Every structure is written in structure tokens, then in C-alpha cells.
Amino acid sequence: MILETIVVTQDEAGQPHLAPMGVHSWEGEIAILPYRPSQTLNNLLATGVAVVNATDDVRVFAGCLTGRLDFPLVPAKRIACFRLRDALAHSELKLIEVADDPIRPKLRCRIVHQENHAPFLGFNRAQFAVLEAAILVSRLNLLPIEEIETKLPSLRTLVDKTGGPREMQAWDWLMAKIQEVKR
Ligand SMILES: Cc1cc2nc3c(=O)[nH]c(=O)nc-3n(C[C@H](O)[C@H](O)[C@H](O)COP(=O)(O)O)c2cc1C
């Protein structure tokens, strides 16, 4: 199963890096598949560790893609890395195998520590819509803008109908980014 998460890594100087990533999850292991070029890839290869964060605050996804990277972090417990302070849950990972690839290497990791911090309160369609829009924004340099724009109205309806202030704000950040790229 693929889970949409926030992956935190750090470079060799200790500088943390946040990136939304759809990670592949199964019993005791998680695989991260970054498209080259990727800071997440460079950091994981350099340090051998990462933290996968589960969050229902979709502003973190939208923020990472629109240059807002100041989400609070706290140190991880068992590895030299950080986690999102406000994550619902997090998994601390150690790299165990690299399946190299010129486009999208697969980094197989073992979960060395896992913790829950807050309850999962239920599914929300606006959060799903923001995630879909965030994926479109992450492909702004790959997809024709017309293709992206045709998908937005139905997503917007979900945000308007079912979202709260966090979802609205995340949506606005993403739409502003699309307008910026169009200009
Ligand atoms: C929900 C979501 C899932 C994503 N999953 C991936 C992924 O699995 N691999 C990837 O390379 N980029 C993925 N992206 C795009 C990256 O977050 C984005 O390109 C980011 O800049 C990654 O590059 P970095 O490692 O240099 O930060 C995803 C974006 C979103 C919004």
C-alpha cells in the first residue's frame, strides 16, 4: 500500500529537509522512491536514516511545495534525524537496501521505532483534494498547465464543501503557486 507522508531527512551538516512522498509500506518495512534529482535521496544515501510522518495537516504538504518549510520539528528518538512535532504518528527508518535506478531508485528501509502522538479522527475529502492538488503542483514542470487546470474545479468543490481553515489555506497556497508559474 502507498501512504502519502512527509519524509524528513537531514544532510551531513545536520540541516533537516522535508518532502511529501508516497511511501510503500508493508510489515516492518517502508520503501521510499524519490525521483532524481532529489535532496531526500542525497540525504538518505549520505546518512542512512529518515523519518516518515503521518499528518492530517495538509498545509505541510502544500507548504513544502510552495516554499514554506518552517513546520516545527523535534529530534527523533532512535536515529539522528527529526520528526514533525505535530505528526499524528511517525516511523524512524534505517536504510537497508538501495535498488539503484537512473530515474527513480528504491530505498528499502527497516522501521526501527514507531510512535503514535494523536488520534486519527476520520477521513476528510478536502484533505484528499488538497493532496491531489499538491501532486499536480509537484508536476507543474512536467504536465501541460491546461491538463492541471481541468482537474482543479472538482477538487475545489470538495475543499469548499468539506474543508476547514487548514484545508482552505493549503488550497490557497497551491493555487497561488499555479498562478505564479502561469505568469
Ligand atoms: C502527496 C505527494 C506525494 C509525492 N510522492 C513523491 C514520491 O514518491 N517520490 C518523489 O520523488 N516525489 C514525490 N512527490 C513530489 C515531491 O514531494 C517533490 O518533488 C519534492 O520536491 C521532492 O524532491 P526533494 O527530495 O528534492 O525534496 C510527492 C508529492 C506529493 C504532494
Side-chain angles (χ1 to χ4, degrees):
M1 183 167 59
I2 296 178
L3 300 172
E4 306 305 339
T5 67
I6 301 296
V7 176
V8 179
T9 53
Q10 64 176 8
D11 65 18
E12 280 174 305
Q15 178 67 29
H17 177 76
L18 279 64
M21 294 266 163
V23 303
H24 298 226
S25 163
W26 67 97
E27 200 62 33
E29 289 189 13
I30 285 179
I32 300 173
L33 288 90
Y35 286 99
R36 289 179 185 277
S38 160
Q39 187 65 45
T40 302
L41 173 65
N42 297 346
N43 289 354
L44 237 167
L45 293 177
T47 65
V49 294
V51 174
V52 163
N53 298 268
T55 178
D56 60 356
D57 186 348
V58 287
R59 291 176 303 183
V60 188
F61 290 84
C64 287
L65 295 172
T66 57
R68 297 169 174 87
L69 295 163
D70 52 346
F71 298 99
L73 301 174
V74 292
K77 269 217 176 117
R78 301 267 166 85
I79 56 171
C81 197
F82 295 91
R83 69 167 174 91
L84 285 176
R85 185 194 66 191
D86 302 329
L88 298 179
H90 84 277
S91 303
E92 301 182 9
L93 309 181
K94 280 193 179 164
L95 182 61
I96 52 173
E97 186 183 61
V98 180
D100 207 1
D101 185 85
I103 297 169
R104 198 181 189 195
K106 183 174 182 177
L107 305 169
R108 215 179 116 209
C109 301
R110 188 161 47 84
I111 300 172
V112 296
H113 181 66
Q114 211 164 33
E115 231 177 290
N116 291 327
H117 307 287
F120 169 66
L121 294 174
F123 295 107
N124 172 256
R125 297 170 76 203
Q127 290 169 359
F128 148 77
V130 170
L131 283 192
E132 288 301 313
I135 288 171
L136 293 173
V137 166
S138 78
R139 295 180 183 162
L140 272 169
N141 57 348
L142 299 172
L143 296 174
I145 193 79
E146 299 75 27
E147 190 180 325
I148 291 177
E149 287 191 315
T150 54
K151 294 186 173 159
L152 295 177
S154 58
L155 297 175
R156 162 112 226 178
T157 305
L158 291 176
V159 174
D160 288 342
K161 272 190 181 170
T162 71
R166 296 193 311 191
E167 290 72 28
M168 305 285 181
Q169 189 173 33
W171 180 266
D172 288 346
W173 289 347
L174 294 170
M175 294 310 109
K177 178 74 182 183
I178 293 174
Q179 290 311 315
E180 185 190 310
V181 168
K182 274 177 79 175
R183 284 195 297 271

